Amino acid sequence: MTQARIPDCPLARTVEVVGSWWTLEILHVVLGGHTRFSAIRRDLETPADVLADRIAALTAKGLLEVDDTADGAADGAAEPGDPAYRATDLGRSLRPLLLVMAAFGNHRLAPEDRSLILVDEETGREVDPVVVDRATGRRVDTAGFVFARGPKAGEQIAARYPEAPAGR
């Protein structure tokens, strides 16, 4: 794996965890309820040996874990040698990233040209995810929100970003 150019950059740390595009693809499938190896393989149309290697890598990174409690209801009856997986807390924490990335991918498409949309399960209404501040509920993708260096900023981050305004 490639080392981050700026080790204390949170964007670089995220990319190090995510790694390849297939990390998000596998997490998307597992978070969507396809947890058995056979179901993941069928959904992604990935060769078994390739998928086994990728799942092993995600398990080693702490994004997935074997689910010994799975009954296989969502994916059909459990068969011997067909393990189930679940996202760890770390893996589940990437779901908002998946939702925002999907919205970004749809942003420039006309509604009739979208192949995958996020909907409210109860109403069926399409939703548009946004990132908000947990404390205030304000959207953070608007003017008035900027990056500032944190207390542990290294030399490169400190040179690039200002101190946070007083009143933090």
Side-chain angles (χ1 to χ4, degrees):
M1 179 182 300
T2 308
Q3 287 286 59
R5 188 175 61 82
I6 303 174
D8 61 335
C9 175
L11 299 171
R13 282 195 302 272
T14 301
V15 170
E16 284 180 335
V17 170
V18 171
S20 300
W21 59 269
W22 49 259
T23 297
L24 298 176
E25 188 174 60
I26 292 171
L27 281 172
H28 170 70
V29 170
V30 171
L31 291 167
H34 298 282
T35 60
R36 291 268 167 213
F37 183 88
S38 60
I40 299 166
R41 181 174 177 233
R42 188 172 47 252
D43 196 56
L44 297 178
E45 299 179 351
T46 304
D49 58 333
V50 171
L51 183 60
D53 289 346
R54 290 176 176 176
I55 287 176
L58 297 183
T59 301
K61 285 183 176 184
L63 297 172
L64 290 180
E65 62 190 359
V66 174
D67 186 356
D68 294 327
T69 65
D71 64 5
D75 296 325
E79 298 177 18
D82 190 14
Y85 298 91
R86 67 175 162 238
T88 62
D89 288 343
L90 181 62
R92 284 189 300 279
S93 73
L94 286 170
R95 186 160 194 265
L97 179 64
L98 291 168
L99 301 177
V100 171
M101 287 179 69
F104 176 82
N106 280 337
H107 179 71
R108 290 194 172 123
L109 297 175
E112 64 272 11
D113 292 332
R114 297 174 180 174
S115 63
L116 179 71
I117 58 174
L118 182 65
V119 299
D120 180 315
E121 192 173 37
E122 288 184 24
T123 66
R125 185 182 62 79
E126 185 172 358
V127 297
D128 185 20
V130 297
V131 180
V132 299
D133 172 50
R134 184 183 313 269
T136 65
R138 290 176 51 206
R139 287 181 65 146
V140 298
D141 62 342
T142 59
F145 291 91
V146 298
F147 284 108
R149 66 177 173 248
K152 294 278 187 172
E155 193 175 301
Q156 290 174 294
I157 295 289
R160 185 177 287 167
Y161 296 98
E163 287 187 42
R168 291 189 350 165

